[in-house]
Amino acid sequence: MKRLSCLLVLLSILLASCSLNLLSQEDALGTASDFSGTVISDAGDFLILLISDTHEGRVKSVYTDYYTQLTNWLKSSSPFQAAFLLGDITNDATSEQYASALSKYGGMNSSVYVTAGNHDVRKNGRNLFLSTFGKVYQKVIIGGISFYLLDSSFRCFGKAQLDKLKQALKQDGNPKFFLTHMPLAGQDVNYYYLCLSDSDERKLLLALMKENNVNLYLAGHRHLLMDTVTYSDTCHEVDIGPLNGKNITIEQPPNWYTLSYNSTTKEATITQYIGQGNSVEQHTVGTFIIAQ
Amino acid sequence: MRHYRILDVIILLACCIPLFASQGLSLWSGYCETSTNLQCSSFSLEWQDRGFQVGYRLFYPQNSLALGYTGKIGRNFIYQAKAHTTIYGQEGLTSGLEATIGLHSHKEHWELGFLAGAQGEMANLASTSSPLTNLVFAFHGWVRAFLGRASVALLYDSSTLFWYSYESLVPFVTLEGNYMVLDHFGLGVQLRMRYADLAPNEKFHITMVEGLVGGLWKIK
């Protein structure tokens, strides 16, 4: 009995002191990604385009004219400094869908940044994403604000990416925005099954956002619009509706968004555009004071 | 981190002292990695008697306390109620409740069971100005085989494990083996993993791995 108890305690101590790093492995797409940062502009006003859930290749219950509505609107819109695509670019992650998505959205602007959604990593999707768009998570600096494009395509962020993110945030004194596919907020039961479901990762993200001056968390995925979530006076989450959602009652007509930043007032305004036949409706989602 | 591990081991040893004089206790300790918590040692202590279960788990910086009760309705129906609180140092605390009902069958060499119900959780975090709440589906299923003094079990928990709850579709899968070395003392091994939410055609992504060894002191 005593020997067995001693063995048990010894085993416990041995197990408690080892570090295996079992969850730190990344695939080729993760290894190719980092937060070293691309600088578009260090200061000044800017306008960016936000699109999510293009679901290239979806054939059932689609709005047939969503892409025409977007491209027609782009012809008359103010020039934007960058475009961000927040995942589910393809519907089934086939090479044809990736090629089609690249031809449609890759040429919208010289600075198009894309992250993957859960639909984009089906089958061989991770490798196709790597060869089509390159990095799946990265940092882009526009107007002195750091945009962190995060990979939540596995419906979680994963240890390797989170470790790199923590390091990058420590060295970054800019105001920050997080952009990704999976929403964080799940307070409302109706939306609960469509958000990041790992409680640990949510707690960590919220803590990182508070500690590192992350003002906005922008995410797609839901296809349902919920109100802006306020985590604190200077930290909000905004749902980005789908460009190519289903043409069914519970979903929305085609959505795309702009984020404009006024460097004088330090305010960011998110505007939603909704394609309605030949017209485009415009709504202000919110104006957010960006803590410096 | 090193200091915390030393502290962990000291607590573990301190908790062993009453164990040797107690009955109906189990002590588990081992290695655990999650996607957010760097390689941590975990430690848990459980007491069970007449359907009641009380437990404490240290998974730095988390300290969890949990209570549970499993009751029988007739021959094959069972129900379970659980409550837990987890304190995350200065980051806040999470409290949760779970109620489930299901079927249970115990034959000579086999035990089968499942429970289904709901769990509610509220997180009061320093990083948010108001609590985060949720109410989700909970499911537990298990199969256990008995071979003399040994038993092997495979357990599936959709969202809640005794000490802490996770949100739906972040399931735990546990493989457990126990061997009663003496009539009232046994050794156990648990291998556990948790994986991210999953839909058809999507890739499997592990977010937690855990390996535990335990001592089991049976109630006389």
Side-chain angles (χ1 to χ4, degrees), chain A residues 36-55:
Chain A
S36 54
T38 303
V39 180
I40 294 179
S41 61
D42 279 325
D45 298 354
F46 62 80
L47 178 71
I48 63 165
L49 178 66
L50 299 165
I51 295 173
S52 188
D53 296 84
T54 57
H55 287 279

Side-chain angles (χ1 to χ4, degrees), chain B residues 77-172:
Chain B
F77 285 93
I78 54 170
Y79 62 93
Q80 198 171 65
K82 292 178 187 171
H84 79 95
T85 292
T86 302
I87 301 166
Y88 304 91
Q90 293 181 340
E91 290 178 30
L93 66 89
T94 301
S95 299
L97 289 169
E98 186 196 88
T100 49
I101 188 163
L103 286 166
H104 177 246
S105 174
H106 191 168
K107 299 281 166 64
E108 189 181 358
H109 294 295
W110 292 94
E111 181 191 354
L112 288 165
F114 80 86
L115 289 159
Q119 71 168 59
E121 189 179 67
M122 183 166 77
N124 285 283
L125 304 173
S127 53
T128 61
S129 54
S130 56
L132 303 177
T133 57
N134 64 60
L135 179 68
V136 293
F137 174 74
F139 177 83
H140 305 280
W142 67 94
V143 55
R144 191 182 300 270
F146 299 93
L147 301 159
R149 286 175 172 266
S151 68
V152 181
L154 183 66
L155 304 94
Y156 175 91
D157 300 274
S158 73
S159 48
T160 305
L161 207 58
F162 183 54
W163 310 275
Y164 50 94
S165 59
Y166 274 80
E167 289 155 21
S168 191
L169 303 173
V170 188
F172 297 88

Side-chain angles (χ1 to χ4, degrees), chain A residues 5-25:
Chain A
S5 301
C6 290
L7 179 66
L8 176 67
V9 171
L10 185 66
L11 275 171
S12 302
I13 293 168
L14 283 173
L15 280 168
S17 59
C18 57
S19 298
L20 302 176
N21 274 319
L22 295 169
L23 301 179
S24 296
Q25 309 304 315

